[in-house]
Amino acid sequence: MRALLAVVGGLGVLGTGLWLSASPAGAVAPSAEAGADLAARWCAACHVVAPSGAGTDAAPAFTTIANRRSPPEIRAFLAQPHARPMRGFSLTTREIDDVTAYIESLQQKAER
Ligand code: HEC
C-alpha cells in the first residue's frame, strides 16, 4: 500500500513538473531587446527612440518618457492607440510589455 502511494505521489510530482515546464511558453519575461526592435520599426517615425537620438522630435523622446513615466503608466498609455495619424495602431499585450521594458531600460541608462 505504501509503495502504491509512493507511485501515485511520484506520478503527481511528475505531472506537476511537466505542467510547470510546459506553461512558461505562454508567459515569457518581457524582452527589452524585442522592444527596441519594435520601437525602431514602429515608433521611430515620431519618437526619438534611442539615447543616440535617431528619430524625430515630433513626440517626446523615449528617454524623456522613461524619466517621467512609470512602467504601469506607459503600459496604460500604450493600451490605447495614440497620436491621430496612427489611429488603429494598437499593440498586443506582449508588444506593450516588450516596448515598456525597453523604455524602462533607457531610464536606467539616463540615471547612471
Ligand atoms: C504618428 C506618430 C507617433 C508614432 C508612430 C508613435 N507615437 Fe507615441 N506619441 C506621439 C505623440 C505626438 C505623442 C504625444 C501626444 C500624445 O500623447 O498623443 C506620443 C506620446 C507617447 C507616449 C506618452 C508620452 C508621455 O509621457 O506623455 C508614449 C509612452 C508613447 N508615445 C509611446 C510610443 C510607442 C511605444 C510607439 C511605438 C509602438 C509610439 N509611441 C509611436 C506620436 C507617435
Side-chain angles (χ1 to χ4, degrees):
M1 188 59 192
R2 199 172 278 175
L4 181 63
L5 282 178
V7 168
V8 170
L11 285 177
V13 169
L14 184 67
T16 308
L18 286 175
W19 183 80
L20 283 177
S21 63
S23 61
V28 191
S31 158
E33 269 172 47
D37 209 53
L38 193 155
R41 277 182 294 140
W42 294 356
C43 319
C46 303
H47 293 270
V48 173
V49 300
S52 59
T56 75
D57 58 2
F62 276 14
T63 336
T64 308
I65 296 173
N67 288 331
R68 73 179 178 197
R69 304 277 185 214
S70 68
E73 285 172 331
I74 295 172
R75 261 187 229 109
F77 182 90
L78 292 177
Q80 312 282 334
H82 71 283
R84 271 164 191 278
M86 295 293 288
R87 242 177 230 281
F89 167 84
S90 69
L91 303 170
T92 65
T93 309
R94 170 88 216 150
E95 289 161 346
I96 290 175
D97 284 349
D98 288 350
V99 85
T100 301
Y102 171 62
I103 294 176
E104 191 57 10
S105 77
L106 296 177
Q107 180 190 26
Q108 284 154 0
K109 274 177 204 137
E111 276 178 350
R112 263 172 220 154

